Amino acid sequence: MMAAAKVGLGMTLTISPLTPLLGAEVSGLNVLDLSDAGFDSLYEALVDHSVIFLRDQPTLTEAEHYDLASRFGEVHVHPFAREAKPDPANQHPGVLRIRTTDESKVAAGNRWHSDVSCDARPPQASILQLHQVPQVGGDTLFSSMYAAYDALSVQMKHYLDGMTARHSGEESYRKLFRADIALGSQWPEADHPIVRRHPDSGRPALYVDREFTESINGLPKEEGKALLEFLFGHSERANFQCRFRWSTNAIAIWDNRCVLHHAMWDYWPQERRGHRVSVVGEVPLMWRLDSDRVPEGREGTTVKLTR
Ligand code: SIN
C-alpha cells in the first residue's frame, strides 16, 4: 500500500513498499533539499521498511554524501581507512569508494553481511549511491533479520536466548583489500548478541552474518560451527528477501541492525561504481525473552515457512 507525507519545500514523499516484509521505494524528494521534517519522515520510512530506495537523485559530491549521512549520526570510518591506510589529505575518510572493473578479482559485499559487524559499535545505517551501473546485473539483495528471527521455532529462540557470537574482520579484509598487514596492531573483532533489540522499532532481529561471524561464545567449537551454519542458511532464505535493481544515481539506505545484504557480482567485465557512507550505531542491545516485548503495532508480518 502506498503512503504519502508532506515533507516541506513543496515536496510530498510517497512510499511504495517492495514486499510486506522489507524494502520501499521513496519518491518525491531530493536529498539535497530535505527539511528537518522531511528527514524525520525519511528516517521513519527506514524504521518501518528496514531498507529504502530513492531514484533519480543528484550526483552527490563526497561532501554532500558525508553531510547527508551526518544527519543520521556520527559518520563511521571503515577500519581499513581508519587504521591501515589513514590519509591525512582525505577530507572525508568516511566515504568508501565502491568500484568494480574488468580487472577486479573480488567485489565488495559479494557475500551476505551486515556492514562491519566486527566493530564494537557497528554501523546502524549505510547510504550507498551508485554513479555508474552495469546495463544489467549488479543488483543488491536484502534479507530481513526481523523476519528470520520471527520464523525460528520457540525452542530455537530459547536456545539462542542470551548467547553472544564473535565477529572478526580478518578473513574478509585480508581477501578484499589483499592486506597481509594487520590493521594497526590487530584485526577488528567484537562480541555481539545473537539476537539484538532495535532501539527504535523495539523488535528482535537475528544478528549473525557469513562474512564476519566467526564463532559462538560458550559453545564447543563443532556445535557452534553447526549452529552458525544453520543460522546463516536460515537468514539467507529467499522468503525474507527483497532485491533492488539499480539505476544511475539511485540511493539505497539500509539499516544494518535488522537487514543483511548481498551485492550480486554477476556483471563482470562491466563496471559498477559509487560511494558508500555509513553511520555509527549503538553497542548492540541484547534481546531477552523474559523481559523484552515488541511494542504494539510493531509486530510486522510473519512468514510461513514450509516445515
Ligand atoms: C556493500 O556495502 O556491501 C556494497 C553493496 C553494493 O555494492 O551493492
Side-chain angles (χ1 to χ4, degrees):
M1 207 202 304
M2 288 207 327
K6 290 246 175 264
V7 293
L9 300 178
M11 292 190 273
T12 301
L13 180 148
T14 304
I15 299 167
S16 316
L18 261 67
T19 79
L21 294 182
L22 82 165
E25 289 217 17
V26 177
S27 56
L29 63 83
N30 174 335
V31 290
L32 293 181
D33 267 333
L34 208 51
S35 64
D36 287 344
F39 177 77
D40 290 348
S41 299
L42 192 72
Y43 188 72
E44 205 176 299
L46 179 61
V47 174
D48 287 347
H49 298 280
S50 305
V51 50
I52 53 178
F53 309 105
L54 293 72
R55 294 195 189 271
D56 303 320
Q57 294 298 311
T59 310
L60 301 183
T61 62
E62 292 195 1
E64 287 165 344
H65 200 142
Y66 186 96
D67 288 348
L68 174 63
S70 303
R71 297 185 78 167
F72 290 79
E74 179 192 345
V75 166
H76 177 266
V77 178
H78 195 278
F80 201 67
R82 194 166 67 208
E83 293 180 58
K85 263 191 163 177
D87 174 1
N90 185 349
Q91 301 248 302
H92 301 290
V95 178
L96 197 68
R97 295 177 185 144
I98 305 268
R99 184 161 184 230
T100 319
T101 69
D102 61 349
E103 292 182 3
S104 299
K105 302 270 185 291
V106 288
N110 184 30
R111 206 150 77 130
W112 284 103
H113 65 288
S114 175
D115 285 327
V116 198
S117 68
C118 51
D119 262 0
R121 288 177 61 201
Q124 48 156 293
S126 294
I127 303 164
L128 173 65
Q129 181 173 51
L130 289 188
H131 305 137
Q132 183 176 352
V133 298
Q135 254 189 352
V136 64
D139 297 354
T140 308
L141 282 65
F142 297 88
S143 188
S144 167
M145 292 303 99
Y146 291 142
Y149 178 74
D150 289 347
L152 291 172
S153 67
V154 173
Q155 290 89 335
M156 182 56 86
K157 286 177 181 163
H158 279 279
Y159 185 50
L160 298 178
D161 193 33
M163 276 190 189
T164 60
R166 168 130 308 203
H167 297 236
S168 165
E170 178 166 359
E171 190 201 327
S172 168
Y173 296 146
R174 266 193 209 282
K175 196 172 33 148
L176 193 56
F177 300 110
R178 275 163 280 165
D180 289 325
I181 44 155
L183 285 171
S185 56
Q186 62 171 48
W187 298 92
E189 53 181 30
D191 290 332
H192 295 309
I194 290 185
V195 185
R196 72 184 288 185
R197 179 164 56 81
H198 194 290
D200 299 318
S201 72
R203 293 182 69 186
L206 199 55
Y207 193 61
V208 292
D209 66 273
R210 202 177 281 282
E211 188 75 42
F212 297 113
T213 316
E214 184 180 82
S215 56
I216 296 188
N217 296 312
L219 288 189
K221 197 168 163 200
E222 290 306 315
E223 188 178 330
K225 244 170 92 174
L227 179 56
L228 275 181
E229 257 325 300
F230 163 74
L231 292 174
F232 293 154
H234 176 76
S235 60
E236 296 163 6
R237 290 179 80 138
N239 308 58
F240 311 136
Q241 293 176 24
C242 74
R243 180 173 184 132
F244 183 59
R245 181 157 193 199
W246 287 91
S247 46
T248 307
N249 282 347
I251 294 177
I253 307 176
W254 59 88
D255 189 330
N256 287 293
R257 300 171 291 192
C258 55
V259 298
L260 299 185
H261 60 285
H262 179 136
M264 187 59 72
W265 194 27
D266 55 0
Y267 51 89
W268 186 91
Q270 295 177 84
E271 192 161 330
R272 180 180 184 270
R273 66 184 170 82
H275 290 157
R276 189 188 91 192
V277 183
S278 295
V279 184
V280 177
E282 73 282 2
V283 172
L285 308 169
M286 184 178 279
W287 170 270
R288 292 313 303 254
L289 278 175
D290 59 356
S291 51
D292 286 315
R293 294 288 168 269
V294 176
E296 221 177 287
R298 284 277 183 200
E299 294 81 4
T301 306
T302 304
V303 175
K304 298 271 178 240
L305 295 178
T306 311
R307 303 249 177 221

